[in-house]
Amino acid sequence: MKDLSGRTAVITGGAQGIGLGIAHALGRAGVKIAIVDVNGNALESAVAQLSNVATVAAKVLDVRDRAAFTDVANDIEAQLGPVSLLFNNAGIATRVTAEAMSYESWDWVMGINLGGVINGIQTFLPRMLARGGEAHIVNTSSGAGVISEGGGYLYHGSKFAVVGLSEALREELAPHQIGISVLLPGPVATGIIANSAALAPSDVTDGGDAVVTWQRVVSAAMNEGVSPLAVGDMVVAAILDNRSPYIFTDDSLGAPIQARTAKLLDALPAKHAEA
């Protein structure tokens, strides 16, 4: 895309953190913005911030609710016009020990982190294809979507899935002038650990002291990360450029990615045959 001005964007998880940073960057680019979030109070605050820089609408939405997603999409397009920019950004960051694993914890994490992306795509992509013309989708994964250290099996599993989905769909949609990017944030000062803990259902048990320690360590690291506003600028720049499917927020993942790639290559049968 050469110019975003006048387009309509939907941002899930748009009232806080990275989603709100993206909204600010889009507003400065002349985009009409619909922010959707499960937190109604945060939506009110976000609208107050954004209304000075953009045309903005806000909707309360649990991204796991497919019927509600459709209703929200209809309302947004009636109010702001056809959506050609979609940001599947809503997510939670939590850790559940293997001993505390349950169907409820699987459903909660996967339902939001992966199911929310799927539901956003299924709601808006058919409309984009039917209308034709340029469009772009950004799916928020994580650095935990390309390396497997530190986040726990639930979080990594959901975020790896978003990366694979985005990579494959990008190839399929290229002939239709619809771009796909996957956002792979490193540490970003969002407060997502505390926000996720507050949202956890009563039937999801994290596993006790080990998880409390993890929450404290990860929160401290993220508080030292880049600002959500800076990430928003990176995302807008990546859409305009669209050379790579990947949007990284810093270079901290270089060494872990190289180490993982080396392990994969070393496991190939040809490697052992040559030895």
Side-chain angles (χ1 to χ4, degrees), residues 4 126 206:
L4 304 184
D206 58 24

Side-chain angles (χ1 to χ4, degrees), residues 33-52:
I33 304 161
I35 51 174
V36 299
D37 203 290
V38 73
N39 188 326
N41 291 332
L43 277 172
E44 290 182 11
S45 175
V47 169
Q49 293 181 46
L50 293 166
S51 58
N52 293 325

Side-chain angles (χ1 to χ4, degrees), residues 6-9 23 26-28 30-35 47 50-58 79-81:
R7 292 182 177 272
T8 298
L26 292 171
R28 292 193 300 273
V31 176
K32 295 174 287 185
I33 304 161
I35 51 174
V47 169
L50 293 166
S51 58
N52 293 325
V53 296
T55 300
V56 58
Q79 183 176 349
L80 300 181

Side-chain angles (χ1 to χ4, degrees), residues 124-224:
F124 285 101
L125 179 57
R127 302 174 187 226
M128 295 175 178
L129 289 168
R131 284 191 292 259
E134 286 188 308
H136 202 102
I137 299 171
V138 177
N139 298 323
T140 298
S141 177
S142 165
V146 289
I147 62 170
S148 57
E149 295 86 8
Y153 62 93
L154 279 171
Y155 188 67
H156 284 288
S158 65
K159 295 302 186 177
F160 263 78
V162 172
V163 173
L165 167 64
S166 302
E167 289 174 337
L169 195 55
R170 178 181 171 94
E171 290 188 17
E172 186 154 343
L173 292 179
H176 299 279
Q177 294 185 293
I178 299 177
I180 297 277
S181 301
V182 58
L183 177 58
L184 299 158
V188 181
T190 62
I192 190 173
I193 302 299
N195 293 338
S196 299
L199 289 171
S202 59
D203 56 1
V204 173
T205 303
D206 58 24
D209 292 343
V211 174
V212 172
T213 299
W214 173 84
Q215 290 172 333
R216 183 173 62 251
V217 170
V218 174
S219 292
M222 294 188 73
N223 287 339
E224 298 298 318

Side-chain angles (χ1 to χ4, degrees), residues 89-108:
N89 172 74
I92 51 171
T94 191
R95 186 165 192 167
V96 175
T97 65
E99 294 81 1
M101 181 190 297
S102 66
Y103 281 118
E104 289 78 14
S105 60
W106 284 107
D107 290 344
W108 181 50

